[in-house]
Amino acid sequence: MVNKIFCATRSGTSAKIVEVEVTFARALPAFIISGLANNSIQEAKQRVHSALQNNNFTFPPLKIVVNLSPSDLPKSGSHFDLPIALLIALQKENFIPQKWFAFGELGLDGKIRHNDKIYPLLLDVALLCPQANIIVPKGGKELFSLIPNLNFFYADHINEALEFIKQESPVPENCAKELGFPCFKINDETYYYHNSFELDFSEVKGQSIAKRAALIAASGFHNLILEGSPGCGKTMIAKRLKYILPPLSLKEMIETVKIQTLGSHNAFYTPLRSFRNPHQSASKASILGSVSQNEAKPGEIALAHNGILFFDELPLFKKDILESLREPLENNQLVVSRVQSKIEYDTSFLFVGAQNPCPCGNLLSVSKTCRCQDKEIATYKNKLSEPFMDRIDLFVQMNETKEDSKSDISSKQMQEEVFKAFRMQILRGQTHLNGKLTEKEIDQFCILDEDTQKLLLQATSRFSLSERSINKIKKISRTIADLQESECIKKSHLLEALNYRKI
């Protein structure tokens, strides 16, 4: 009987289960790895050979053939070192008593090293093979201990891994890890939040309308554009938004860590939602992501999932990049297609844009004279197409800050308001925040009474609102009602929502 240990490889943004098997034949000594293994796996031969020899294992003088099945699936990753080494070390064993998975890169001394690429694979293994027995490096325990549905065995050395496999009934080390973040529960689901504010809204003087719009945007994940003269506080507001966003569930936190590891970023658990702020000179590939040889490289849009994507100086971004945002803003999903690959990313983010009213920035100023010609202003504003602007929920024109302007609200106060609206949404049975509701969910949760419906029909006729605009107004109205803890959407909520639409 051929012994087998299972592993996994990345295919796009998900994992595919790989069966690792080894045969030993009487022939000239050789070490062969088959099954579309790339260089990182082929180099495992030297690491495995040295690791076994340095730990008193006799490397068999036989023809060793390692097969990675399915053979037509391209495979990559140094984490295949451990299953290959274990199977060779277990050459004289008749069979492995249980089905095992193993992940880990081997050092020449036999130590098992953690690799950040293992984590996203394990998330998918938890879905594909629940309650599987998995040997992983002890160095990744902090990350792995939060993954549900798996039996983890942590090992620092190949000898420890072998001991686990040889036991008839090994006991997994599935100790529930406490995150240690502030949290609260709604319907038995725990939500984690960040309660320190490195950047505080109390530092933003005046701009009460813009801060109100920011509060609504944060409460329902509504897309927001702030327009105003340089120095009026657009960027200040945008950068403070991430501290007042709704709390994260454990699932959302895990999703964030997974996308960070796919993007080769340092992965760690935090209740602070991501904030991505690409420069205007960023390439289209860096914004949308790329695919090469079935290897996905997430861009800024994917990395902003469950967080904020902030475009400062919005009209200065390339037009093709702005137009490419239309799909993820509308469908909360991005598809990157190439000749031989197709990758899908979830893109449920809060988009925030900041722009000047004209190229020189002084069009709305009361103290400075605009130097732009009408043609220049028109060209500047035409960089944002109507279909793109139709996907923006809230549009605010900001006035210059006056010298005697004072702060009227802090981030702590705004966070409490956001949490109040968040509870309303969850208790109502929503699985998405208001800004991300589907058309079916809009009909279910954004119910207008007869008078409010008539008002919306009048606004639709007067301003020639598209169906998309109507739905967005309903969703904004729902969030405003939640902030006031109102079960139904009233006229006042709808009127405020209409004020924030660019019509």
Side-chain angles (χ1 to χ4, degrees):
M1 179 181 289
V2 178
N3 278 331
K4 300 175 183 178
I5 292 180
F6 294 85
C7 197
T9 191
R10 230 174 97 187
S11 180
T13 58
S14 59
K16 300 290 185 183
I17 303 299
V18 176
E19 187 179 280
V20 184
E21 53 187 358
V22 177
T23 60
F24 303 87
R26 292 179 178 271
L28 289 174
F31 191 175
I32 301 169
I33 300 178
S34 64
L36 287 184
N38 76 348
N39 287 338
S40 63
I41 301 177
Q42 294 295 342
E43 290 174 354
K45 291 184 282 190
Q46 284 74 34
R47 294 191 293 271
V48 169
H49 190 280
S50 297
L52 292 177
Q53 280 196 329
N54 290 333
N55 286 278
N56 300 321
F57 291 98
T58 302
F59 209 81
L62 303 168
K63 182 180 180 181
I64 303 171
V65 179
V66 178
N67 182 51
L68 309 179
S69 177
S71 299
D72 59 345
L73 175 69
K75 303 164 193 76
S76 63
S78 59
H79 57 274
F80 281 93
D81 291 7
L82 184 57
I84 293 172
L86 290 173
L87 287 171
I88 294 174
L90 293 166
Q91 173 203 357
K92 297 180 181 179
E93 300 288 332
N94 293 328
F95 67 98
I96 298 175
Q98 298 186 41
K99 180 178 178 179
W100 283 93
F101 282 76
F103 296 80
E105 177 185 322
L106 283 180
L108 300 184
D109 57 356
K111 288 187 177 179
I112 304 172
R113 296 173 178 168
H114 170 59
N115 186 325
D116 279 342
K117 294 184 178 179
I118 296 174
Y119 178 80
L121 298 175
L122 294 177
L123 292 175
D124 290 310
V125 172
L127 298 175
L128 297 169
C129 301
Q131 306 307 320
N133 293 330
I134 300 188
I135 301 173
V136 290
K138 190 173 286 186
K141 185 175 180 179
E142 184 178 352
L143 277 175
F144 304 151
S145 60
L146 287 172
I147 302 177
N149 302 331
L150 294 178
N151 299 321
F152 284 114
F153 298 82
Y154 300 103
D156 265 334
H157 197 277
I158 188 172
N159 290 328
E160 294 179 42
L162 283 167
E163 287 299 318
F164 286 133
I165 290 180
K166 290 178 181 179
Q167 295 176 29
E168 291 187 6
S169 301
V171 179
E173 192 179 343
N174 286 353
C175 51
K177 177 189 169 187
E178 293 293 332
L179 284 173
F181 302 128
C183 63
F184 57 80
K185 284 191 175 184
I186 305 177
N187 294 338
D188 296 327
E189 178 76 44
T190 303
Y191 297 94
Y192 302 88
Y193 62 92
H194 193 78
N195 63 351
S196 62
F197 308 96
E198 296 176 17
L199 300 174
D200 201 296
F201 271 95
S202 62
E203 300 160 353
V204 182
K205 307 300 182 184
Q207 306 299 353
S208 57
I209 296 176
K211 285 188 279 189
R212 172 67 176 174
L215 174 63
I216 296 169
S219 300
F221 257 49
H222 301 285
N223 301 319
L224 169 68
I225 286 183
L226 300 171
E227 182 182 77
S229 302
C232 67
K234 304 185 296 293
T235 304
M236 287 183 71
I237 289 175
K239 289 184 175 180
R240 284 154 178 76
L241 259 177
K242 71 173 181 177
Y243 296 101
I244 66 167
L245 292 178
L248 281 166
S249 66
L250 178 59
K251 178 178 179 293
E252 290 173 319
M253 219 182 296
I254 288 175
E255 285 178 353
T256 301
V257 176
K258 176 181 176 180
I259 203 70
Q260 286 174 345
T261 56
L262 291 177
S264 301
H265 291 72
N266 292 329
F268 58 93
Y269 290 98
T270 174
L272 192 62
R273 292 178 182 264
S274 57
F275 182 89
R276 307 300 301 181
N277 181 18
H279 191 261
Q280 306 94 314
S281 62
S283 66
K284 188 174 182 180
S286 70
I287 300 292
L288 300 182
S290 59
V291 184
S292 60
Q293 299 179 352
N294 212 38
E295 186 85 0
K297 189 73 174 177
E300 297 292 336
I301 288 178
L303 292 169
H305 179 55
N306 290 329
I308 293 176
L309 179 65
F310 175 46
F311 276 19
D312 202 0
E313 303 294 346
L314 183 61
L316 298 185
F317 282 83
K318 297 175 183 176
K319 192 172 182 64
D320 60 338
I321 291 178
L322 295 176
E323 293 304 308
S324 64
L325 284 175
R326 286 157 53 179
E327 179 192 348
L329 287 175
E330 180 69 17
N331 303 322
N332 301 319
Q333 193 172 64
L334 173 67
V335 179
V336 181
S337 298
R338 298 295 180 263
V339 175
Q340 297 179 344
S341 303
K342 180 181 177 181
I343 305 298
E344 294 184 1
Y345 297 111
D346 289 327
T347 58
S348 181
F349 56 79
L350 166 56
F351 178 77
V352 181
Q355 65 180 52
N356 294 328
C358 65
C360 79
N362 297 328
L363 184 63
L364 300 178
S365 175
V366 295
S367 58
K368 298 179 182 178
T369 304
C370 177
R371 304 187 302 271
C372 305
Q373 298 179 358
D374 290 344
K375 184 178 179 181
E376 291 176 321
I377 296 173
T379 302
Y380 182 78
K381 292 194 171 184
N382 284 340
K383 290 184 179 180
L384 304 180
S385 67
E386 285 300 319
F388 173 80
M389 291 302 298
D390 204 29
R391 287 161 170 81
I392 302 301
D393 304 74
L394 306 164
F395 183 89
V396 178
Q397 274 194 345
M398 299 171 60
N399 297 321
E400 289 181 309
T401 304
K402 298 178 182 178
E403 291 184 5
D404 59 348
S405 297
K406 297 180 180 179
S407 175
D408 55 355
I409 194 168
S410 67
S411 289
K412 179 65 176 176
Q413 292 171 308
M414 294 180 77
Q415 186 189 62
E416 291 172 357
E417 291 293 307
V418 170
F419 286 1
K420 185 166 62 177
F422 178 76
R423 287 188 177 90
M424 291 283 292
Q425 294 169 71
I426 298 301
L427 292 173
R428 200 161 45 237
Q430 293 179 203
T431 54
H432 302 103
L433 294 172
N434 291 334
K436 306 302 178 184
L437 293 176
T438 63
E439 292 183 4
K440 183 178 180 180
E441 290 170 330
I442 292 171
D443 293 337
Q444 181 180 357
F445 299 117
C446 302
I447 301 173
L448 309 179
D449 60 32
E450 188 175 346
D451 290 339
T452 310
Q453 185 66 44
K454 286 180 181 178
L455 179 61
L456 180 59
L457 290 174
Q458 291 173 4
T460 302
S461 175
R462 181 176 178 183
F463 302 114
S464 301
L465 298 176
S466 66
E467 191 65 31
R468 182 185 293 113
S469 296
I470 294 171
N471 285 337
K472 286 191 175 297
I473 289 169
K474 287 181 179 180
K475 290 188 283 188
I476 298 167
S477 302
R478 179 67 269 173
T479 300
I480 295 170
D482 289 338
L483 286 168
Q484 297 182 6
E485 296 183 288
S486 173
E487 293 293 338
C488 60
I489 298 174
K490 301 177 181 178
K491 274 187 176 182
S492 59
H493 306 145
L494 184 65
L495 287 170
E496 185 178 358
L498 287 168
N499 285 333
Y500 293 116
R501 289 292 297 173
K502 187 174 183 181
I503 299 172

